[in-house]
Amino acid sequence: MRHTPLTRQDLSFASKTIIICILLITSSMFYFIINNEQSSSSMGRLTSSFTSLRSSLEVNGVRCRLSMKESDNWFCESDSDWKRRKILHHIQDKRNRISNSRSLFFQNNWEPTIQCAFERRLGNTGDGGKWVCDIHRFGGNNTKILVYSFGSNGDFSFERAIQEQFPKAEIHTFDLGVYQCPANVCTFHQVRLGDGKNDSSKSFQTIVTDLGHARREIHLLKVDIEGSEYNLFEEMFRISTDKTIQVMPYVRQILFEIHLPTDRSELSSQRTHRLFELFRANNYAIFHKEANLFDAQNVFEYALLHVNRAFFIAQS
């Protein structure tokens, strides 16, 4: 048989064919390697997601029972984190009554002992706004929270901010002056706030009874009443320990401005110490403190969170 010799054109075609085959094989190998790595990465991410979910379920379902119990169902965190939180509270609490010096009272006394991861300010950025602890824990925007705002002076920025977060909130604003709540935001009550005794004032107990809220939870109690907060809180906590009073509302957070009495002696300091000890005795922990720079020596903003009595018991 006679063989036909290969021409240069035939060799060129064969070379190109071989090169194309090599490129196809190489591309296939790269595709396989990359796809395999992506699959491994995806599997790793999926495994990580399941691990995180399992961890979250463990915390929410089992491991946060202690924190939920001792915070009155407010914080959900692992037992180790909760115990660490309690230790830090007790360390600071022991340092919170240091001095009776009137001139630098708030510089030396009553610092926060508990922290809120999602604390936020509602209302004006200056005077009038208040810091709230983890407001999302109250629930979704359909939650019908109950809010008391004692002291307004015509500033309703706090009430507006609450209403924006919770359109179904029931908000009551109280002031000695006569003001008009913004439409569909709050209900205004003209009243003198205090201990309800000899100054024509109304006490906290009288107000909640008149409004039919004695069996309700008050989610936020905002107080800015220019010095009358002493009488208001002292009477409020006296009532809470009075065995003849059957029902008092549960107040979750107290957000208030405190004004040192004009008495320049240490008697005003001692009364302020007693007030904060009343808060602690009634299971309130400080989570925020800031000076009012209009009168930083005498006026401070505080925010308190109600937790279970067990939180205040030192670990052995």
Side-chain angles (χ1 to χ4, degrees):
M1 180 180 292
R2 185 178 179 181
H3 294 281
T4 303
L6 293 174
T7 65
R8 181 176 297 178
Q9 184 176 3
D10 293 332
L11 289 173
S12 176
F13 175 79
S15 299
K16 289 179 180 179
T17 302
I18 293 172
I19 292 172
I20 291 172
C21 290
I22 292 173
L23 289 173
L24 288 172
I25 293 171
T26 304
S27 299
S28 298
M29 291 177 64
F30 272 117
Y31 175 80
F32 175 79
I33 293 171
I34 292 172
N35 188 58
N36 187 55
E37 289 179 350
Q38 289 178 340
S39 298
S40 299
S41 177
S42 297
M43 184 61 70
R45 287 195 296 269
L46 186 60
T47 302
S48 177
S49 297
F50 276 120
T51 302
S52 299
L53 177 60
R54 183 178 64 184
S55 176
S56 176
L57 289 174
E58 287 176 354
V59 170
N60 293 331
V62 179
R63 291 173 54 204
C64 74
R65 286 179 181 173
L66 179 63
S67 61
M68 289 291 282
K69 175 185 176 182
E70 295 190 351
S71 68
D72 279 358
N73 297 315
W74 191 254
F75 293 111
C76 179
E77 55 194 30
S78 67
D79 287 0
S80 60
D81 284 348
W82 182 250
K83 290 175 181 178
R84 185 179 297 112
R85 183 189 288 275
K86 290 179 67 175
I87 290 171
L88 294 176
H89 160 79
H90 288 289
I91 290 173
Q92 181 57 49
D93 187 59
K94 291 177 181 178
R95 305 172 59 193
N96 264 354
R97 182 168 182 169
I98 300 299
S99 169
N100 287 331
S101 172
R102 176 66 173 73
S103 60
L104 293 174
F105 181 85
F106 290 117
Q107 178 75 18
N108 297 324
N109 301 289
W110 301 106
E111 299 292 340
T113 64
I114 198 168
Q115 296 74 41
C116 302
F118 301 99
E119 179 183 348
R120 62 176 296 186
R121 187 180 183 86
L122 296 179
N124 284 341
T125 55
D127 194 34
K130 300 294 180 186
W131 288 92
V132 180
C133 175
D134 298 0
I135 194 171
H136 66 282
R137 298 187 190 278
F138 287 135
N141 58 10
N142 288 324
T143 305
K144 298 178 180 179
I145 69 171
L146 178 59
V147 179
Y148 277 19
S149 178
F150 287 176
S152 163
N153 197 31
D155 177 3
F156 296 98
S157 62
F158 177 78
E159 288 87 340
R160 288 181 186 274
I162 293 294
Q163 201 274 335
E164 288 174 2
Q165 292 289 315
F166 300 98
K168 295 184 178 181
E170 181 180 349
I171 307 172
H172 294 269
T173 302
F174 307 80
D175 199 280
L176 180 60
V178 179
Y179 302 100
Q180 181 68 44
C181 271
N184 303 316
V185 172
C186 55
T187 302
F188 183 80
H189 308 265
Q190 184 187 14
V191 62
R192 180 189 295 274
L193 298 159
D195 58 13
K197 294 180 178 178
N198 301 319
D199 56 358
S200 301
S201 66
K202 279 193 174 184
S203 68
F204 178 76
Q205 175 65 27
T206 300
I207 290 171
V208 297
T209 301
D210 289 349
L211 294 177
H213 294 156
R215 297 181 181 274
R216 295 274 303 275
E217 173 179 348
I218 298 177
H219 298 78
L220 297 172
L221 171 60
K222 166 188 166 285
V223 179
D224 188 354
I225 52 178
E226 306 303 321
S228 295
E229 63 272 7
Y230 286 86
N231 290 339
L232 179 80
F233 288 131
E234 287 165 356
E235 179 65 12
M236 172 179 167
F237 292 129
R238 186 193 69 78
I239 291 294
S240 70
T241 59
D242 190 338
K243 301 301 182 183
T244 65
I245 304 297
Q246 297 299 315
V247 180
M248 275 288 288
Y250 181 99
V251 181
R252 172 59 81 173
Q253 296 186 38
I254 299 177
L255 324 170
F256 73 105
E257 187 173 72
I258 187 167
H259 309 75
L260 279 179
T262 55
D263 177 9
R264 306 299 295 182
S265 72
E266 290 188 353
L267 291 176
S268 61
S269 299
Q270 293 168 5
R271 187 183 185 189
T272 306
H273 279 310
R274 289 195 298 271
L275 178 61
F276 278 96
E277 287 168 348
L278 267 177
F279 285 130
R280 182 176 55 197
N282 284 273
N283 306 329
Y284 285 94
I286 303 168
F287 71 83
H288 187 88
K289 172 186 179 181
E290 68 178 21
N292 183 326
L293 296 182
F294 286 111
D295 188 4
Q297 191 176 56
N298 301 305
V299 183
F300 263 71
E301 295 278 354
Y302 276 92
L304 314 175
L305 177 70
H306 193 288
V307 291
N308 191 277
R309 182 61 193 160
F311 176 77
F312 298 90
I313 300 174
Q315 300 176 33
S316 57

